[in-house]
mmCIF file of all heavy atoms in Angstrom:
data_model
loop_
_atom_site.group_PDB
_atom_site.id
_atom_site.type_symbol
_atom_site.label_atom_id
_atom_site.label_comp_id
_atom_site.label_asym_id
_atom_site.label_seq_id
_atom_site.Cartn_x
_atom_site.Cartn_y
_atom_site.Cartn_z
ATOM 1 N N LEU A 89 1.210 -10.973 -13.718
ATOM 2 C CA LEU A 89 2.283 -11.394 -12.812
ATOM 3 C C LEU A 89 1.905 -12.676 -12.085
ATOM 4 O O LEU A 89 2.689 -13.625 -12.040
ATOM 5 C CB LEU A 89 2.594 -10.302 -11.786
ATOM 6 C CG LEU A 89 3.560 -10.763 -10.671
ATOM 7 C CD1 LEU A 89 4.930 -11.144 -11.223
ATOM 8 C CD2 LEU A 89 3.717 -9.701 -9.581
ATOM 9 N N SER A 90 0.704 -12.720 -11.514
ATOM 10 C CA SER A 90 0.284 -13.914 -10.771
ATOM 11 C C SER A 90 0.310 -15.152 -11.657
ATOM 12 O O SER A 90 0.733 -16.229 -11.223
ATOM 13 C CB SER A 90 -1.117 -13.722 -10.189
ATOM 14 O OG SER A 90 -1.104 -12.743 -9.173
ATOM 15 N N ALA A 91 -0.127 -14.999 -12.906
ATOM 16 C CA ALA A 91 -0.125 -16.131 -13.846
ATOM 17 C C ALA A 91 1.298 -16.643 -14.056
ATOM 18 O O ALA A 91 1.566 -17.854 -14.016
ATOM 19 C CB ALA A 91 -0.733 -15.713 -15.188
ATOM 20 N N ILE A 92 2.225 -15.712 -14.271
ATOM 21 C CA ILE A 92 3.623 -16.081 -14.466
ATOM 22 C C ILE A 92 4.165 -16.783 -13.225
ATOM 23 O O ILE A 92 4.825 -17.830 -13.305
ATOM 24 C CB ILE A 92 4.474 -14.833 -14.805
ATOM 25 C CG1 ILE A 92 4.075 -14.276 -16.175
ATOM 26 C CG2 ILE A 92 5.970 -15.150 -14.773
ATOM 27 C CD1 ILE A 92 4.658 -12.900 -16.479
ATOM 28 N N GLN A 93 3.849 -16.248 -12.048
ATOM 29 C CA GLN A 93 4.333 -16.852 -10.809
ATOM 30 C C GLN A 93 3.806 -18.271 -10.643
ATOM 31 O O GLN A 93 4.542 -19.183 -10.255
ATOM 32 C CB GLN A 93 3.937 -15.988 -9.603
ATOM 33 C CG GLN A 93 4.710 -14.678 -9.522
ATOM 34 C CD GLN A 93 4.215 -13.752 -8.432
ATOM 35 O OE1 GLN A 93 3.052 -13.350 -8.420
ATOM 36 N NE2 GLN A 93 5.099 -13.376 -7.522
ATOM 37 N N ILE A 94 2.529 -18.475 -10.947
ATOM 38 C CA ILE A 94 1.934 -19.811 -10.831
ATOM 39 C C ILE A 94 2.644 -20.780 -11.783
ATOM 40 O O ILE A 94 3.000 -21.899 -11.414
ATOM 41 C CB ILE A 94 0.426 -19.770 -11.153
ATOM 42 C CG1 ILE A 94 -0.324 -18.965 -10.087
ATOM 43 C CG2 ILE A 94 -0.149 -21.183 -11.281
ATOM 44 C CD1 ILE A 94 -1.730 -18.555 -10.500
ATOM 45 N N LEU A 95 2.860 -20.342 -13.023
ATOM 46 C CA LEU A 95 3.494 -21.221 -14.011
ATOM 47 C C LEU A 95 4.943 -21.525 -13.638
ATOM 48 O O LEU A 95 5.424 -22.638 -13.850
ATOM 49 C CB LEU A 95 3.400 -20.598 -15.402
ATOM 50 C CG LEU A 95 1.984 -20.508 -15.975
ATOM 51 C CD1 LEU A 95 1.977 -19.752 -17.304
ATOM 52 C CD2 LEU A 95 1.365 -21.897 -16.167
ATOM 53 N N VAL A 96 5.626 -20.555 -13.046
ATOM 54 C CA VAL A 96 7.002 -20.799 -12.604
ATOM 55 C C VAL A 96 7.005 -21.839 -11.487
ATOM 56 O O VAL A 96 7.819 -22.769 -11.493
ATOM 57 C CB VAL A 96 7.680 -19.491 -12.134
ATOM 58 C CG1 VAL A 96 8.975 -19.780 -11.384
ATOM 59 C CG2 VAL A 96 7.965 -18.593 -13.319
ATOM 60 N N ILE A 97 6.069 -21.700 -10.531
ATOM 61 C CA ILE A 97 6.003 -22.660 -9.434
ATOM 62 C C ILE A 97 5.740 -24.069 -9.967
ATOM 63 O O ILE A 97 6.278 -25.054 -9.457
ATOM 64 C CB ILE A 97 4.918 -22.241 -8.408
ATOM 65 C CG1 ILE A 97 5.384 -21.003 -7.633
ATOM 66 C CG2 ILE A 97 4.597 -23.380 -7.437
ATOM 67 C CD1 ILE A 97 4.319 -20.383 -6.728
ATOM 68 N N HIS A 98 4.936 -24.161 -11.024
ATOM 69 C CA HIS A 98 4.622 -25.466 -11.603
ATOM 70 C C HIS A 98 5.548 -25.833 -12.761
ATOM 71 O O HIS A 98 5.259 -26.782 -13.508
ATOM 72 C CB HIS A 98 3.166 -25.495 -12.078
ATOM 73 C CG HIS A 98 2.197 -25.754 -10.968
ATOM 74 N ND1 HIS A 98 2.405 -26.729 -10.013
ATOM 75 C CD2 HIS A 98 1.017 -25.162 -10.660
ATOM 76 C CE1 HIS A 98 1.397 -26.725 -9.156
ATOM 77 N NE2 HIS A 98 0.535 -25.790 -9.531
ATOM 78 N N ASP A 99 6.646 -25.081 -12.899
ATOM 79 C CA ASP A 99 7.624 -25.390 -13.953
ATOM 80 C C ASP A 99 6.941 -25.524 -15.314
ATOM 81 O O ASP A 99 7.204 -26.467 -16.068
ATOM 82 C CB ASP A 99 8.374 -26.691 -13.601
ATOM 83 C CG ASP A 99 9.626 -26.852 -14.454
ATOM 84 O OD1 ASP A 99 10.113 -25.833 -15.005
ATOM 85 O OD2 ASP A 99 10.102 -27.992 -14.614
ATOM 86 N N ALA A 100 6.075 -24.583 -15.618
ATOM 87 C CA ALA A 100 5.313 -24.650 -16.868
ATOM 88 C C ALA A 100 5.419 -23.339 -17.633
ATOM 89 O O ALA A 100 4.499 -22.943 -18.351
ATOM 90 C CB ALA A 100 3.853 -24.966 -16.576
ATOM 91 N N LEU A 101 6.546 -22.676 -17.506
ATOM 92 C CA LEU A 101 6.732 -21.389 -18.171
ATOM 93 C C LEU A 101 6.715 -21.533 -19.691
ATOM 94 O O LEU A 101 6.448 -20.564 -20.420
ATOM 95 C CB LEU A 101 8.050 -20.763 -17.703
ATOM 96 C CG LEU A 101 8.156 -19.235 -17.653
ATOM 97 C CD1 LEU A 101 6.953 -18.625 -16.970
ATOM 98 C CD2 LEU A 101 9.425 -18.828 -16.926
ATOM 99 N N ASP A 102 6.947 -22.773 -20.162
ATOM 100 C CA ASP A 102 6.933 -23.008 -21.609
ATOM 101 C C ASP A 102 5.528 -22.807 -22.195
ATOM 102 O O ASP A 102 5.371 -22.733 -23.422
ATOM 103 C CB ASP A 102 7.419 -24.426 -21.911
ATOM 104 C CG ASP A 102 6.604 -25.466 -21.152
ATOM 105 O OD1 ASP A 102 6.465 -25.323 -19.924
ATOM 106 O OD2 ASP A 102 6.099 -26.421 -21.783
ATOM 107 N N ARG A 103 4.512 -22.699 -21.336
ATOM 108 C CA ARG A 103 3.152 -22.469 -21.837
ATOM 109 C C ARG A 103 2.949 -21.016 -22.260
ATOM 110 O O ARG A 103 1.932 -20.673 -22.869
ATOM 111 C CB ARG A 103 2.116 -22.815 -20.758
ATOM 112 C CG ARG A 103 2.155 -24.253 -20.259
ATOM 113 C CD ARG A 103 1.757 -25.239 -21.331
ATOM 114 N NE ARG A 103 0.412 -24.996 -21.828
ATOM 115 C CZ ARG A 103 -0.690 -25.595 -21.371
ATOM 116 N NH1 ARG A 103 -0.602 -26.489 -20.408
ATOM 117 N NH2 ARG A 103 -1.878 -25.316 -21.887
ATOM 118 N N ILE A 104 3.903 -20.147 -21.878
ATOM 119 C CA ILE A 104 3.724 -18.705 -22.141
ATOM 120 C C ILE A 104 4.454 -18.282 -23.405
ATOM 121 O O ILE A 104 5.571 -18.734 -23.664
ATOM 122 C CB ILE A 104 4.294 -17.876 -20.960
ATOM 123 C CG1 ILE A 104 3.398 -17.996 -19.742
ATOM 124 C CG2 ILE A 104 4.404 -16.413 -21.321
ATOM 125 C CD1 ILE A 104 3.826 -17.045 -18.638
ATOM 126 N N ASP A 105 3.838 -17.380 -24.154
ATOM 127 C CA ASP A 105 4.492 -16.732 -25.279
ATOM 128 C C ASP A 105 5.312 -15.572 -24.701
ATOM 129 O O ASP A 105 4.824 -14.451 -24.566
ATOM 130 C CB ASP A 105 3.426 -16.217 -26.253
ATOM 131 C CG ASP A 105 4.030 -15.635 -27.524
ATOM 132 O OD1 ASP A 105 5.208 -15.207 -27.507
ATOM 133 O OD2 ASP A 105 3.319 -15.599 -28.546
ATOM 134 N N VAL A 106 6.543 -15.864 -24.340
ATOM 135 C CA VAL A 106 7.364 -14.889 -23.612
ATOM 136 C C VAL A 106 7.537 -13.560 -24.347
ATOM 137 O O VAL A 106 7.349 -12.496 -23.738
ATOM 138 C CB VAL A 106 8.730 -15.517 -23.216
ATOM 139 C CG1 VAL A 106 9.679 -14.462 -22.666
ATOM 140 C CG2 VAL A 106 8.536 -16.630 -22.186
#
Side-chain angles (χ1 to χ4, degrees):
Chain A
L89 171 63
S90 292
I92 293 169
Q93 289 173 301
I94 293 165
L95 293 174
V96 167
I97 289 172
H98 279 315
D99 195 20
L101 211 47
D102 55 308
R103 301 294 301 266
I104 288 188
D105 185 336
V106 171

